[in-house]
Amino acid sequence: MNNNNFIDLGEVQFDIGREGRCGFPEVIYGEGKSQDTILKIFRAIIKHDIDGFATRISDDKGIFLEQELSRDNIKFSYNKIAKTIRIFKQSGGQSVTRGKVAVISAGTSDLPIAEEAKETVLWTGAEPIFIQDVGVAGPHRLQAKLPLFNDADTIIVVAGMEGALPSVVGGFVQVPVIAVPTSVGYGASFGGLAALLGMLNSCASNVTVVNIDAGFKAGYIAGLIAKRAARNCN
Amino acid sequence: MNNNNFIDLGEVQFDIGREGRCGFPEVIYGEGKSQDTILKIFRAIIKHDIDGFATRISDDKGIFLEQELSRDNIKFSYNKIAKTIRIFKQSGGQSVTRGKVAVISAGTSDLPIAEEAKETVLWTGAEPIFIQDVGVAGPHRLQAKLPLFNDADTIIVVAGMEGALPSVVGGFVQVPVIAVPTSVGYGASFGGLAALLGMLNSCASNVTVVNIDAGFKAGYIAGLIAKRAARNCN
Amino acid sequence: MNNNNFIDLGEVQFDIGREGRCGFPEVIYGEGKSQDTILKIFRAIIKHDIDGFATRISDDKGIFLEQELSRDNIKFSYNKIAKTIRIFKQSGGQSVTRGKVAVISAGTSDLPIAEEAKETVLWTGAEPIFIQDVGVAGPHRLQAKLPLFNDADTIIVVAGMEGALPSVVGGFVQVPVIAVPTSVGYGASFGGLAALLGMLNSCASNVTVVNIDAGFKAGYIAGLIAKRAARNCN
Amino acid sequence: MNNNNFIDLGEVQFDIGREGRCGFPEVIYGEGKSQDTILKIFRAIIKHDIDGFATRISDDKGIFLEQELSRDNIKFSYNKIAKTIRIFKQSGGQSVTRGKVAVISAGTSDLPIAEEAKETVLWTGAEPIFIQDVGVAGPHRLQAKLPLFNDADTIIVVAGMEGALPSVVGGFVQVPVIAVPTSVGYGASFGGLAALLGMLNSCASNVTVVNIDAGFKAGYIAGLIAKRAARNCN
Amino acid sequence: MNNNNFIDLGEVQFDIGREGRCGFPEVIYGEGKSQDTILKIFRAIIKHDIDGFATRISDDKGIFLEQELSRDNIKFSYNKIAKTIRIFKQSGGQSVTRGKVAVISAGTSDLPIAEEAKETVLWTGAEPIFIQDVGVAGPHRLQAKLPLFNDADTIIVVAGMEGALPSVVGGFVQVPVIAVPTSVGYGASFGGLAALLGMLNSCASNVTVVNIDAGFKAGYIAGLIAKRAARNCN
Amino acid sequence: MNNNNFIDLGEVQFDIGREGRCGFPEVIYGEGKSQDTILKIFRAIIKHDIDGFATRISDDKGIFLEQELSRDNIKFSYNKIAKTIRIFKQSGGQSVTRGKVAVISAGTSDLPIAEEAKETVLWTGAEPIFIQDVGVAGPHRLQAKLPLFNDADTIIVVAGMEGALPSVVGGFVQVPVIAVPTSVGYGASFGGLAALLGMLNSCASNVTVVNIDAGFKAGYIAGLIAKRAARNCN
Amino acid sequence: MNNNNFIDLGEVQFDIGREGRCGFPEVIYGEGKSQDTILKIFRAIIKHDIDGFATRISDDKGIFLEQELSRDNIKFSYNKIAKTIRIFKQSGGQSVTRGKVAVISAGTSDLPIAEEAKETVLWTGAEPIFIQDVGVAGPHRLQAKLPLFNDADTIIVVAGMEGALPSVVGGFVQVPVIAVPTSVGYGASFGGLAALLGMLNSCASNVTVVNIDAGFKAGYIAGLIAKRAARNCN
Amino acid sequence: MNNNNFIDLGEVQFDIGREGRCGFPEVIYGEGKSQDTILKIFRAIIKHDIDGFATRISDDKGIFLEQELSRDNIKFSYNKIAKTIRIFKQSGGQSVTRGKVAVISAGTSDLPIAEEAKETVLWTGAEPIFIQDVGVAGPHRLQAKLPLFNDADTIIVVAGMEGALPSVVGGFVQVPVIAVPTSVGYGASFGGLAALLGMLNSCASNVTVVNIDAGFKAGYIAGLIAKRAARNCN
């Protein structure tokens, strides 16, 4: 497949060379797109037998798409909390597991973003290790879970409020920590700004940061790292 | 002494009722005051036999005041790193120790603010416990020092960058943590804003916050807590 | 009870060692948690006979939880204005009064945050003194109320708009003032930012600050100070 | 004189119709202008026999202008702290006193801005009442000075840090309070932003605000109010 | 009436000494107060025969209060666009006209704030001159209206977006311009911040500023200026 | 027609001299205006036989206006996605095409703003070239479309998120690029601030910027450039 | 010359295809480059006989480069106020005049940025019309100068403080207004932010904006517009 | 070596367990530390035979440390542009090459940060590929260099101003892009904020971000990724 191919769908120019150039297919950002536009892209994806993935699918769009895909007997997985839909390659042949990614959340309220990250990791073909509610106010909880993720290729840490967990996790591990600030909090959290700034200024040298609530991006980058780490080793 | 007395020095109205109303005498904020003005206030303080304290004394003002006070045989203590001068009650009768305050800093670069806090604690008559460079990137360092401050009446935590240390300390102790964000850092630390926001959003419920680089304020409030805790119990 | 124990409830790791380590049990932050998750935690709390406390309980969650707890004959107190629920130790044996905390609000619109602070103080076992609507535009109102709180161990001041009240209160008292900025205001109040910055820059040395609308945090810290002050004096 | 006249000096178009249109002549903002340009404007002012006024004159420019004006036997007044120069109408005939303006500062460090306001009030022909260092931390100081300014036509309040003084003054008086936030402070004062926001959100209804450090503007507006109030009453 | 009197209504301490101290009675800020609380204050106002004024009355509260006041045969004026209610002194004896205030708006969308300013001016007893939609993009419109307000004692200019109108008006008049930034605009207007900053930095020396959307405050201060200007001259 | 004429419609002063002074007639900004006010302006426009244009017409106002205009047999064009209504000169004689303007959008979610720009270009009489969804993540898509717009007189680039597309387009063309940041994005896009700052700092020298979501302004300025370029050359 | 050529100078990849692709050659941004690096680029420019242009040349670099270029007998023009150096094509054959660009500044302190814009216009081969100090506080000054620029192809307006001048100019003209906010001002001008936001929110539809202090960019874009307008008309 | 060991040097608690826990030894952040403190840490590093690394070494500290280390015959490498010093393990046995990291800068002015990244990569034992000045305004330059880094394990992209380069690079590669915003720029770059926000909002899914000017952090994380990728494959 030519890496510079794209399909002209009118308001969408779907980039089918993305997987060749970037390692994974183009992903559909659901916000601001009508359900009809998303369905149109899904149909192009299915026709070209690509591993489809859509994020930020609101509940009403989700119900509509679930119905349409079910009617057409398409294999897919819809995660309501993550607000994501994965469309499986209709030719079968799912991606084999490529590396491990830990997804750690600081608090129960961070769940939707942690789920988005986990779904993305699954879509990249890596194996997620999912650990919840181990924020710094009860530090023994994190330490109790350390053995679960000590062989991950990279670690996603999802946290709102002051966003201190990535720094703490960073002090225990030898792999990159991808920090995801969330908009969980109130007052001077300013919609996640406090967590974002905290993570950018982490005194742990192995912490890198993505946008507020960007569970998808963290999962995508983690998938790339895991794939690279597992390249000629599996 | 009337709690509503003040001395009219022209550009300064020195509040000699402050100790009666607020527990400690008025403190001199050195920034934006000329060395002559500060000296004029010092002389009023000495005349009224008050425990004097001045903060934010730049090096050149410090040298000048040191010379003037020495010439007059005044008992004082000048801390160049903290940029503070304490004027001791010329009548003698230093304050007895009233409670204990831990002063903990995250990194070596936070030293000047930690020193300012320590000097203020000394001036309030409480006993400071001073612990340096135990930031979260090396978490075992903090744990090794825990026994040193487990009987403090309150804990001042001084940290720049992402300001995560107060949250971590907060998870181990039963007393208020007074967090002091510092302007240590670069880029998106925005002069201490990142640390300030982090501390305000701490998930540890016992963390309260003062202004960026406000070692003095933390020491003052800690002194009040320690004094209250030690009230009629010593 | 082991200070490092926690209960694994899936999306929640409830920290039952919190009281041992930090002086008070873990508190439930209601925002972003489903009513079912909160109920699950309440049941764990009741089972372990802990003084439970939940904040930021929206009206619909409140009604649901009220019904469920009533049906189970649990002793609790639901404050709709404060949006809090206290679960009383089923074994009886309420905390004895430990110190006094004044809770002062600047304006009528600050009531919900002042109520949250008051409920938290009650939960910590301290005695609240509640004073409303004494903002600086009518300064004689505050002075008329001064005798009511002159023996408090600490003073919580709740204020929105320009947040000047803590500075004014600070000038009259010998104990720490815990300032709570609220999001009350409009335009350049920027959701409480104006009050927050004002309080952080207070020229009164005894003013410390918590997050915008953080009535809970102020109450918690005040409870710790009161408890410490009352330690071996009651 | 035609209200729409101006003098073309090349890089400056000096507006000599300003007094006719706006009540007072055009004022020279010294920042970013060379000393030669300022001198050129001064000479045009002298030639047209206008009451000249220049602000933000740095020390080196001030020394230069002082020398030049002295050499030419021009009547002027240079205030080094205020960084202002007033050029008196060479025809004599100084403005008679038109109303009274109180200029009140919160702290000693606010002096330069308070002086700028005072000089501007003098230039407008109103009588200034100057009161220093009566910030809210020592509230009795303000109350002791109240009788000095109870007949002012308007009150300028100069304050940095949290900028609470205008709200407090506002609660005692029946005339407009013109609040001048200053850049005095550190950390989260953000160069005067905290004071500015505090003043804009004042709960006192009679507080209006000018730019940070804008002593000149406050003096100018106060002069207009005083002039109007004294119109047909003197 | 004692200037330091207030009525204790529980959640409200109504300041009945306000008129004596500040020139006008206390005003009710409607936001965040229940309709029952507002009615309770109205009844106290009526009982004490004060000129009542309430702002930020949402439509539903307005309808409720309108019904209640009508039922009790109270004289009042409810302005739905301004969201204000004036309660007239039941003893009759309305305030005589004291000075003139121009209220000028830049665009049609600024109407609600301009109406709030106008209602406040009426309540202070001054005479408003109301001029709409004369923004700077069509400068001849303002010039055509200049004769209408050339004898005003002060001028309120209400503008959103870039907030340039006060600067332009300021260049034509000899009285203070009270600039009211509005939240009208989109994108980088940031809820009125652009207009606010523009007005604070006005190159016209006679422009002073109040909070975003603070039509009330502008009207109140204008009322004070007009009253002072008309003092013993009518 | 006198360039300084305007029609006084009460809350609106419609500027009918705008076309003579500024090249195009006054445009109606629909936000914050009632549907009745907009209709009143439309009727004045029709009476004066002007090319009318209204932006930011919400769906409910659009339906109302569509009905009213249809009933009166007015020629108009309503674009629901762009939220614009064009009223055609009832005398016929549409503007002839004056130059070409490319309108390029980065993503499908930017469509409404791109449509607003396109409608504005049409209203100015220029010919729009419309290209969608060619963001930088799939750079070959833009290059494939380059031949379509290589003779445009100016290029409007509409982009949200990081707003990088204008810089990239700017590197390929010899005409001004008018960049329109959109509020498309989440988290640290801060409502379009990220895209706005990115575009202002573009390293491509030919990129100029309008407000966030200001499709109208971009179209208007592009129309002026195209008209000038086509001036006496067609 | 191949449009995709560039010269590899080590730390610089000088783009000699820029003129072919973008209409004007690559420009040297002097900040952050050593004088030796700039000289190295100048020599490449001279060797390839390109019209060179460098901006943001600090005084010390300027003196060095002036000496070096003089020694080599290079034709150049150094403008100390604008901080720019133009290197003339050594082959002669200067660009003929292509269109007219007005450069208007609001105040004397904006001169350096206005000069940078003027120098850039000269470099693009267009004819600049230079008008200074016509800010909105004296509106008759602008009107007196209108005849001077009524045939410009575009107008650059340079203004600091509230940045209102572009809106006012925009109301009088039929060509695009390129607004350049400057960092002139103090306090809440926040380094030009106030002017930038004001210009972005201009109610005049023909105002587009460049970065703060970006005289160069305004001149470059104006040059492109003028060139296009003059294309087949001169 | 015990992973929880640290050396108590007074103001420094040097963490010698860092390499065991985190993969690389503790690094010295030079800002805010005296040259004597840094030398003291260097001596501890040498004594424990660790690969030392110090960043943000100002020129004067650099000269001092260079002299001291030279006198002691220590093997080290001082990079003045990067402001870094590497201390080589005195036992010899340099780290073997572990993976490849491309370091790409957008402009010549970004050089110091790119050099810091490169030095850090070298210190981690990975092989850097260094590519300069390939910003998006001349897009062919990047494409010409693509073959040089198509086998890198990860790519560091250093860019100031609008920070668009990472998005463009991201569209061509299958590995993570670590974006480093720099403070290069002026005006609305706000010290690197524009670039930071742009990178956080990148539409390329493989872009992750570190702090402004954090060349060190990018290099450290890149080193971890490269090491993991090269793990058991070399």
Side-chain angles (χ1 to χ4, degrees), chain B residues 83-95:
Chain B
K83 298 189 181 302
T84 58
I85 296 177
R86 283 188 284 144
I87 307 277
F88 300 109
K89 248 185 193 154
Q90 307 306 310
S91 62
Q94 290 300 111
S95 311

Side-chain angles (χ1 to χ4, degrees), chain B residues 100-112:
Chain B
K100 284 185 184 177
V101 175
V103 178
I104 299 177
S105 71
T108 307
S109 308
D110 300 314
L111 188 61

Side-chain angles (χ1 to χ4, degrees), chain F residues 70-86:
Chain F
S70 298
R71 184 168 2 177
D72 294 357
N73 284 318
I74 304 300
K75 284 176 283 178
F76 71 97
S77 166
Y78 172 36
N79 183 327
K80 265 204 161 96
I81 296 173
K83 297 188 182 301
T84 57
I85 296 179
R86 283 187 285 144

Side-chain angles (χ1 to χ4, degrees), chain F residues 100 102 149-156 169-178 205-208 225 229, chain G residues 21-24 220-221 224-225 228 231:
Chain F
K100 287 186 181 172
F149 60 89
N150 70 358
D151 65 339
D153 292 308
T154 188
I155 298 168
I156 295 170
V169 171
F172 292 116
V173 298
Q174 309 204 6
V175 293
V177 170
I178 304 171
S205 308
N206 52 355
V207 174
T208 183
I225 295 175
Chain G
R21 286 198 329 279
C22 298
F24 299 121
Y220 189 101
I221 294 162
L224 284 175
I225 294 175
R228 188 88 186 173
R231 213 174 12 155

Side-chain angles (χ1 to χ4, degrees), chain E residues 135-139 143 160-164 167-168 170-172 185-190 193-194 197-205, chain G residues 135-139 143 160-164 167-168 170-172 185-190 193-194 197-205:
Chain E
V136 300
Q143 300 204 339
M161 296 177 170
E162 88 270 53
S167 294
V168 174
F172 292 115
Y186 61 91
S189 95
F190 295 127
L193 178 64
L197 293 182
M199 290 166 177
L200 285 168
N201 287 283
S202 175
C203 59
S205 308
Chain G
V136 301
Q143 299 206 339
M161 296 176 171
E162 88 271 55
S167 293
V168 174
F172 291 114
Y186 60 92
S189 93
F190 295 126
L193 179 62
L197 293 182
M199 291 168 177
L200 285 168
N201 287 284
S202 175
C203 59
S205 307

Side-chain angles (χ1 to χ4, degrees), chain C residues 25 41 72-73 80 90 98 111 120 131 147 192-193 195 211 228:
Chain C
I41 308 175
D72 294 358
N73 284 318
K80 262 202 165 94
Q90 306 305 310
R98 291 180 292 203
L111 188 61
T120 310
I131 294 164
L193 178 63
N211 197 359
R228 188 90 186 171

Side-chain angles (χ1 to χ4, degrees), chain B residues 60-155:
Chain B
D60 53 330
K61 291 181 196 169
I63 289 163
F64 168 83
L65 293 165
E66 201 171 24
Q67 286 173 341
E68 295 292 318
L69 294 171
S70 298
R71 183 167 5 174
D72 293 358
N73 284 318
I74 304 300
K75 283 176 284 176
F76 70 97
S77 165
Y78 171 36
N79 182 328
K80 264 204 166 95
I81 296 174
K83 298 189 181 302
T84 58
I85 296 177
R86 283 188 284 144
I87 307 277
F88 300 109
K89 248 185 193 154
Q90 307 306 310
S91 62
Q94 290 300 111
S95 311
V96 294
T97 298
R98 293 180 290 201
K100 284 185 184 177
V101 175
V103 178
I104 299 177
S105 71
T108 307
S109 308
D110 300 314
L111 188 61
I113 304 306
E115 285 282 348
E116 191 191 57
K118 192 190 72 181
E119 285 290 326
T120 310
V121 168
L122 282 167
W123 172 73
T124 68
E127 178 190 343
I129 304 157
F130 202 58
I131 294 163
Q132 296 180 75
D133 194 29
V134 292
V136 301
H140 52 295
R141 297 178 298 191
L142 175 66
Q143 300 206 338
K145 307 278 185 181
L146 274 173
L148 298 181
F149 59 89
N150 69 358
D151 66 338
D153 293 306
T154 188
I155 298 168

Side-chain angles (χ1 to χ4, degrees), chain C residues 7-103:
Chain C
I7 316 170
D8 192 332
L9 301 168
E11 76 272 28
V12 177
Q13 315 293 325
F14 195 76
D15 180 0
I16 53 175
R18 188 72 58 93
E19 187 165 11
R21 288 197 327 279
C22 298
F24 300 120
E26 179 166 5
V27 173
I28 302 154
Y29 173 68
E31 221 160 281
K33 290 197 183 66
S34 72
Q35 56 189 23
D36 291 324
T37 295
I38 299 172
L39 186 59
K40 186 157 65 168
I41 308 175
F42 275 178
R43 292 201 165 126
I45 281 172
I46 292 157
K47 196 170 144 201
H48 287 81
D49 202 35
I50 294 168
D51 275 322
F53 191 45
T55 65
R56 307 228 157 207
I57 302 298
S58 62
D59 285 0
D60 54 329
K61 290 181 194 169
I63 290 163
F64 168 83
L65 292 165
E66 200 171 26
Q67 285 174 342
E68 294 293 318
L69 292 170
S70 298
R71 184 166 4 176
D72 294 358
N73 284 318
I74 304 301
K75 282 176 285 178
F76 71 96
S77 165
Y78 173 37
N79 182 328
K80 262 202 165 94
I81 295 173
K83 298 188 180 302
T84 58
I85 296 178
R86 282 187 286 143
I87 308 276
F88 299 110
K89 249 186 190 150
Q90 306 305 310
S91 62
Q94 290 300 108
S95 312
V96 294
T97 295
R98 291 180 292 203
K100 285 185 183 174
V101 175
V103 178

